[in-house]
Amino acid sequence: MVLDPELRAAGGNGSGIARQDELAVLKAVGQRVLWLSTAIIDHANRVRPNPSGLKVGGHQASSASMSSIMTALWFHALTADDRVSVKPHASPVLHAINYLLGELDESRLTTLRAFGGLQSYPSRSKDPDPVDYSTGSVGIGATAPLWGALARRYVEGHLGGAGTGRQYSLLGDAELDEGAIWEAIQDPMVPGLGEVVWVVDLNRQSLDRVVPGIAADRLHGMFAAAGWQVITLKYGHQLQELFERPGGEALHARIDAMDNPEYQRLLRCSAEELRLRLPGTGSTAGPIADLIASLDDAALLAALRNLGGHDIGALMDAFDGVDDTRPTVIFAYTIKGHGLPTEGHPQNHSSLLTADQMRTLADRLGTDLDRPWAVFPDGSREAALCTAAAGRLRRPGHVAQRPPAVPADLGRSAPAGTGNTQQALGRVLLDLMRRAPEAAARIVTVSPDVSSTTNLGGWLNKVGVWSPTERLNWFADDAETILHWRERPTGQHVELGIAETNLVGLLGELGATWSRWGQPLLPIGVVYDPFVNRALEPWSFGIYAGGQSILVGTPSGVTLAPEGGAHQSITTPSLGIEQPGCVTYEPAFAIDTEWCLLAALGNLGRPDGSSAYLRLSTRPVDQSAAAVPDDPAARERRRRQVAAGAYRLRRHEKPVVTLAAMGALVPEALAAADRLAALGHDADVVCVTSPDLLFRALQARRGLSDDPSWILDQVFPADRATPLVTVLDGHPHSLAFLSTIRNTSVTTLGVTRFGQSGAIEDVYRYHGIDTDSIVAAALDLVD
């Protein structure tokens, strides 16, 4: 299903050399990978000038534990269709491999962690060489290929051009402590992803210490219970051969029973010390001592270090034996710092080799410290293998398709009566199917089991639920079932489990298909706004990696009055201001929601595009209060202002105060303006739709960015500058900067405390964002 079985069985090396010859050459290439990755970090810390004296850092030990795994993967198993997520601290290994493959210029090897150089951790958007997944935050990079596999399947099924291929994750054993890992593994979509292969670098060390017990058996059971194939590479061929000799069974049992710190301590022993310590005590000590007495010192030291994750042959066998019908995890036992003087040291996580140690290492690996970047000589078998691998892994170029045009306005009249912005979301999606079918065909919605409660029901009924295979809808003939759950490969909605981190992980990958395969999608994820913060970090990583998507938080704020407590979001209104690559909108009316959503969709799937966050509400609002002009030119002017961040909703000839409100609080601002007018204080009302875009405009006016700033002169003109009251259903700091547009006095109203359950009037009064509070704040400014 995923890859040509014959190519997998042949190992995919493409060089035409026999297995044993390949193994010998791979070992030589692996030693060069170890050297280059170590030297890249050494140069950054010990050779390159560092005027500030600030630690540069890098992880020689963490890279060393991965060098054999990555050598076997890139130079034996990978194909051009495969994608790999590399654990953060192994980034120098990735750069070393790309250098040997001709994908990275020698001049770049001296730039690790330098400005504009090789990044600290693999980055799709910033590194100069091929990087499939951006990593850095523990757990996020590991799970990304799961969502990459789903995104590839979706693109291939709907649009074509995404091909096949495995999705590999190279992760450290400590990453398995992250809850996001297990949330992803348990998602109902994952068990069918046979192209997914995780390789766990089981080096049994964390940053500070040797971990006393990894509980590998328990981990094996958890993956197996989730439907994964589990492959364990604990011992290499050399150790396994020893286990077959007299006394080998006892040696095997002794090492198996040994806790991690004892094993690590043995790695620090000389051969003489090892002969004393390794046999242990009891009845098996004699047979073990006799067995290791038959080995010379070098063979004994090498045997102890012969774990599966460093045995190229064992790794080749494991990659060739992957079952492509279900996800696979390979537990590869390794030694942190393998092959370095620091191997096995409990505090080697960030340790760096000295100049003398580097020179000794160079001599042992057959390289030259004074010429650290030397490649294999032409005509050598190693050079031939590198050339063959480079040719095999060269990916065909994709002709990037432009995303379909998204109309700026669907032309509908503003809704009459009452309605809310959450309802408008579903309506706009259905309208797009009629008015712009090409754009609608690229939309894919994602939700964590909240489709019906976030008003996606109509859209879902229309487009169906995506599934790799068609499934029978047993409720199709049930007249009382309103939500029709039709699962089929043509569906445009993906339903995940309840975990928000999975939602945004998939959003990021769906939003990156424009750069992976030249096929732009328009992904929209819907989640309850109180839980948006839980999902921000993986969503941010997706944006950093080039993923462009729309995240909709709904319902939101203390306007969820009966919910109370932490179920009422406070900090999300300023999300866009603080998140690079993202624009935030919080519309007040249905027509504003349409215009904001269309503007956000129009920014997706292109090199200069961006993600967006929409904060919506379930509060019923009188839609006539939007006062949308009937004149076409005036309507277009309003639309442009909505999409740019704000518009003046009420305008007086001589205002003495301006009320700037956002989202669900606009009705309170309008009511406050009416009461102020009755008191003889005319108040303009500004409806803010995007504090983010207004802040950018302000920065641009100060010469600090290239964003447009015209919206400030239209909505906050200098000749109408008055004292300002800002109010929103969220933290008041989100709009506090508005006073600096014209340097006016300001009172900022908003939510700064955990919520309370109750009627909306009581809750607004409790937080000081009700009409009375707005009137009082305005009077304090003008009297």
Side-chain angles (χ1 to χ4, degrees):
M1 176 184 68
V2 176
L3 194 71
D4 184 340
E6 294 183 3
L7 180 58
R8 285 293 186 204
N13 63 63
S15 62
I17 60 180
R19 174 79 171 202
Q20 286 303 314
D21 287 339
E22 182 188 7
L23 179 57
V25 178
L26 275 170
K27 289 179 179 178
V29 172
Q31 287 189 325
R32 187 60 56 90
V33 169
L34 172 63
W35 166 256
L36 287 170
S37 60
T38 306
I40 287 170
I41 300 168
D42 176 67
H43 189 280
N45 288 273
R46 191 181 57 81
V47 180
R48 191 171 68 216
N50 183 8
S52 70
L54 190 68
K55 174 186 173 183
V56 176
H59 301 84
Q60 290 175 329
S62 294
S63 293
S65 72
M66 287 295 298
S67 60
S68 298
I69 294 171
M70 293 176 67
T71 297
L73 183 57
W74 260 264
F75 293 95
H76 170 75
L78 279 187
T79 73
D81 282 336
D82 297 338
R83 298 290 186 273
V84 188
S85 174
V86 177
K87 79 171 191 176
H89 292 166
S91 65
V93 184
L94 177 61
H95 298 310
I97 289 174
N98 281 335
Y99 173 60
L100 292 177
L101 294 175
E103 297 283 2
L104 188 65
D105 188 76
E106 179 181 319
S107 62
R108 293 286 194 170
L109 300 180
T110 62
T111 66
L112 179 70
R113 300 191 173 203
F115 185 79
L118 300 176
Q119 298 300 296
S120 305
Y121 311 122
S123 171
R124 283 193 78 220
S125 57
K126 295 183 180 295
D127 272 318
D129 53 332
V131 174
D132 292 330
Y133 289 97
S134 296
T135 60
S137 183
V138 172
I140 293 177
T143 57
L146 297 175
W147 318 124
L150 277 178
R152 185 205 61 75
R153 289 191 182 203
Y154 187 94
V155 169
E156 181 63 21
H158 284 75
L159 305 167
T164 58
R166 286 182 183 161
Q167 297 275 346
Y168 289 89
S169 285
L170 309 180
L171 61 154
D173 47 14
E175 289 194 73
L176 297 179
D177 291 342
E178 284 290 336
I181 294 280
W182 302 104
E183 287 183 347
I185 288 171
Q186 294 180 84
D187 192 273
M189 282 288 184
V190 170
L193 299 177
E195 61 266 53
V196 168
V197 180
W198 284 16
V199 184
V200 180
D201 172 16
L202 204 68
N203 61 46
R204 296 170 284 185
Q205 281 188 238
S206 62
L207 190 150
D208 292 328
R209 61 173 181 156
V210 178
V211 179
I214 291 293
D217 290 342
R218 178 172 55 84
L219 295 173
H220 297 175
M222 293 169 72
F223 275 97
W228 289 51
Q229 177 190 19
V230 180
I231 298 175
T232 300
L233 296 179
K234 189 167 186 179
Y235 301 118
H237 288 90
Q238 189 176 353
L239 259 181
Q240 290 183 50
E241 190 275 331
L242 269 183
F243 295 155
E244 297 299 318
R245 299 186 190 180
E249 186 175 343
L251 177 63
H252 194 172
R254 164 81 169 115
I255 297 178
D256 269 351
M258 197 178 289
D259 65 19
N260 296 332
E262 182 183 4
Y263 173 78
Q264 297 282 103
R265 180 63 185 91
L266 293 180
L267 296 173
R268 309 294 297 170
C269 291
S270 66
E272 182 179 0
E273 291 176 304
L274 190 56
R275 294 183 192 280
L276 294 174
R277 289 174 178 249
L278 182 55
T281 60
S283 60
T284 60
I288 295 174
D290 291 342
L291 172 61
I292 64 177
S294 67
L295 305 176
D296 62 31
D297 288 353
L300 175 59
L301 293 172
L304 185 69
R305 289 156 171 76
N306 184 226
L307 298 184
H310 301 304
D311 189 302
I312 297 286
L315 289 161
M316 293 165 67
D317 292 340
F319 290 133
D320 294 345
V322 167
D323 174 8
D324 283 321
T325 65
R326 53 181 173 152
T328 296
V329 59
I330 300 173
F331 286 101
Y333 281 71
T334 63
I335 299 168
K336 198 164 188 175
H338 183 259
L340 303 182
T342 57
E343 69 177 0
H345 193 286
Q347 281 85 48
N348 67 4
H349 182 81
S350 298
S351 64
L352 298 169
L353 271 58
T354 65
D356 288 342
Q357 289 174 325
M358 285 295 297
R359 194 165 298 280
T360 300
L361 181 67
D363 292 341
R364 182 168 65 80
L365 297 179
T367 58
D368 186 346
L369 183 59
D370 299 322
R371 297 178 59 250
W373 319 125
V375 295
F376 294 111
D378 291 341
S380 66
R381 296 194 303 169
E382 292 82 4
L385 181 64
C386 291
T387 300
R392 185 184 76 248
L393 298 177
R394 190 165 295 117
R395 294 170 181 167
H398 293 285
V399 178
Q401 294 194 24
R402 294 178 61 86
V406 177
D409 190 344
L410 296 176
R412 288 185 58 160
S413 301
T418 61
N420 61 60
T421 55
Q422 179 178 291
Q423 292 171 338
L425 170 66
R427 192 203 72 198
V428 173
L429 293 179
L430 292 173
D431 282 351
L432 266 172
M433 295 187 71
R434 293 187 288 269
R435 308 292 179 90
E438 289 187 5
R442 297 269 175 166
I443 291 175
V444 52
T445 55
V446 187
S447 70
D449 199 32
V450 293
S451 301
S452 57
T453 54
T454 53
N455 280 84
L456 285 182
W459 162 260
L460 191 149
N461 284 342
K462 193 74 174 177
V463 302
V465 178
W466 180 82
S467 173
T469 58
E470 187 153 0
R471 298 176 180 173
L472 182 63
N473 177 17
W474 289 99
F475 290 87
D477 59 349
D478 186 343
E480 295 183 2
T481 299
I482 299 175
L483 188 64
H484 301 294
W485 207 261
R486 294 191 296 269
E487 297 178 87
R488 53 198 179 189
T490 58
Q492 289 180 242
H493 174 79
V494 182
E495 186 88 357
L496 298 176
I498 200 64
E500 288 81 9
T501 54
N502 292 347
L503 166 88
V504 295
L506 179 55
L507 269 187
E509 290 306 313
L510 291 169
T513 59
W514 67 273
S515 60
R516 291 199 190 280
W517 302 291
Q519 290 285 11
L521 295 175
L522 308 179
I524 302 172
V526 180
V527 64
Y528 290 163
D529 198 70
F531 310 134
V532 164
N533 284 326
R534 186 184 299 175
L536 284 184
E537 187 192 7
W539 192 49
S540 176
F541 257 82
I543 294 173
Y544 174 66
Q548 298 170 11
S549 61
I550 298 172
L551 183 61
V552 178
T554 182
S556 62
V558 300
T559 300
L560 271 170
E563 294 287 346
H567 232 62
Q568 299 170 337
S569 52
I570 297 173
T571 61
T572 50
S574 62
L575 190 158
I577 297 177
E578 298 148 5
Q579 174 61 53
C582 170
V583 176
T584 188
Y585 294 102
E586 186 169 345
F589 301 102
I591 190 66
D592 295 355
T593 305
E594 173 186 311
W595 289 334
C596 291
L597 180 59
L598 294 175
L601 286 169
N603 276 329
L604 298 179
R606 61 192 204 200
D608 61 342
S610 70
S611 294
Y613 165 68
L614 268 69
R615 189 175 191 248
L616 304 183
S617 172
T618 52
R619 183 186 184 187
V621 172
D622 179 6
Q623 298 299 306
S624 67
V628 179
D630 293 326
D631 180 80
R635 176 189 171 101
E636 173 59 14
R637 183 173 186 268
R638 166 69 70 84
R639 185 204 64 77
R640 290 182 68 243
Q641 290 177 339
V642 167
Y647 59 95
R648 197 166 286 267
L649 184 56
R650 185 168 296 180
R651 187 180 189 277
H652 286 275
E653 184 176 351
K654 293 182 179 180
V656 295
V657 67
T658 298
L659 311 180
M662 187 164 71
L665 268 296
V666 168
E668 273 62 36
L670 291 172
D674 290 339
R675 286 174 52 183
L676 288 168
L679 295 172
H681 302 293
D682 287 342
D684 280 0
V685 177
V686 170
C687 180
V688 175
T689 55
S690 174
D692 177 17
L693 292 178
L694 294 182
F695 182 77
R696 296 186 195 190
L698 183 59
Q699 293 291 87
R701 197 179 70 179
R702 293 168 174 162
L704 300 176
S705 77
D706 296 325
D707 293 288
S709 61
W710 58 267
I711 188 67
L712 300 182
D713 291 328
Q714 289 195 5
V715 180
F716 297 97
D719 61 352
R720 299 184 67 80
T722 66
L724 185 66
V725 177
T726 66
V727 60
L728 74 156
D729 185 358
H731 199 283
H733 85 276
S734 304
L735 297 180
F737 71 91
L738 294 179
S739 65
T740 65
I741 296 174
R742 299 300 174 194
N743 294 320
T744 57
S745 55
V746 64
T747 296
T748 58
L749 304 180
V751 180
T752 59
R753 295 178 287 176
F754 285 119
Q756 292 281 350
S757 296
I760 195 170
E761 297 82 7
D762 295 331
V763 172
Y764 280 5
R765 188 178 306 111
Y766 170 76
H767 290 286
I769 54 176
D770 59 325
T771 301
D772 284 351
S773 298
I774 299 172
V775 171
L779 291 175
D780 286 342
L781 288 171
V782 300
D783 275 356

